[in-house]
Amino acid sequence: MEHTTYRGQIAYIGDDAGKRGHEWFTTTRHSNGHRTLRAISEIYDSKVLRDATVTVDQKFRPLDAFIRLTVNEQFMGSGWFRFTDTEAECETFMAEGGRVSQRIAVKHHPPFFGAHPVANDCWVGGSLDRTTPNTVLLEGGMMSSLLPNGASGPMLSPMTLRTQYVGLESVTVPAGTFEAYHFRFLVDDMAAEDVWCYGDDLIFVKIRWDQLKTTYELLELKQT
């Protein structure tokens, strides 16, 4: 079989609370350039547990996804998502609201889908030119939740994201030292999110988000 797989762990480290969460992820790059992320995310203080699978095309544009969410050990919802050049759709079932079907017409293929694993944030950078520093407004993106911790839904919510490619930087985390792409993302009046990703597959290395006063770091990475 002609694919490459990465497996890694991420620690969520709060400025005051210490370790406040953990994420395990597996990313597969297929021979046609499609990539699939499978992630289990735990946030200890808000008691969020999320299973998410996201597949993107060669340009890191979302194709489909699945999310199952629990909060405080209680089922919140689960949903399937699909994205094309003309439509974003989902079928979800939520503890509050029951079955929800969404069909949202789009002007172009959504450039990103935020399913809320932090490893997923790196793929937003796939829409940006990484040859020189630049700033781009990404319109028509989609999120599964508009809460910072993703603890609602899941269902489709459109989002416009102000993005910046800062440059290539050397970053040291517990998993090692990486020459990483540095992106900066801004939403409305929230603090900027600084994201560092490694290689052509944009593998997670580090995130700093002052909004949640949290640093996210890669603990280990294995490639097969």
Side-chain angles (χ1 to χ4, degrees), residues 34-104:
H34 291 187
R35 295 165 173 88
T36 297
L37 169 71
R38 307 162 190 87
I40 302 172
S41 310
E42 294 188 37
I43 308 175
Y44 306 149
D45 45 23
S46 52
K47 299 182 179 179
V48 173
L49 176 61
R50 180 185 306 103
D51 293 81
T53 300
V54 182
T55 297
V56 296
D57 65 10
Q58 302 92 327
K59 298 179 180 179
F60 290 92
R61 301 179 305 178
L63 296 175
D64 54 60
F66 172 80
I67 299 171
R68 191 180 197 279
L69 176 67
T70 66
V71 178
N72 197 21
E73 299 299 314
Q74 301 299 312
F75 172 78
M76 291 290 290
S78 63
W80 170 82
F81 302 80
R82 180 173 175 267
F83 307 91
T84 70
D85 293 343
T86 60
E87 185 179 64
E89 63 176 322
C90 80
E91 294 290 336
T92 67
F93 183 87
M94 294 179 288
E96 296 184 6
R99 179 70 176 265
V100 175
S101 299
Q102 289 178 286
R103 302 289 187 277
I104 300 176

Side-chain angles (χ1 to χ4, degrees), residues 133-167:
N134 61 82
T135 300
V136 176
L137 187 68
L138 288 183
E139 297 181 297
M142 294 286 170
M143 300 292 292
S144 66
S145 169
L146 294 179
L147 295 181
N149 65 357
S152 65
M155 60 188 300
L156 284 172
S157 296
M159 173 177 282
T160 294
L161 190 63
R162 297 189 301 279
T163 66
Q164 182 182 5
Y165 173 55
V166 180

Side-chain angles (χ1 to χ4, degrees), residues 3-4 12 15-16 18 22 24 36 62 71 73 90 98 160 191 199 208 222:
H3 61 259
T4 301
Y12 302 3
D15 290 352
D16 301 320
H22 203 96
W24 297 262
T36 297
V71 178
E73 299 299 314
C90 80
T160 294
R208 172 62 196 182
K222 298 179 180 179

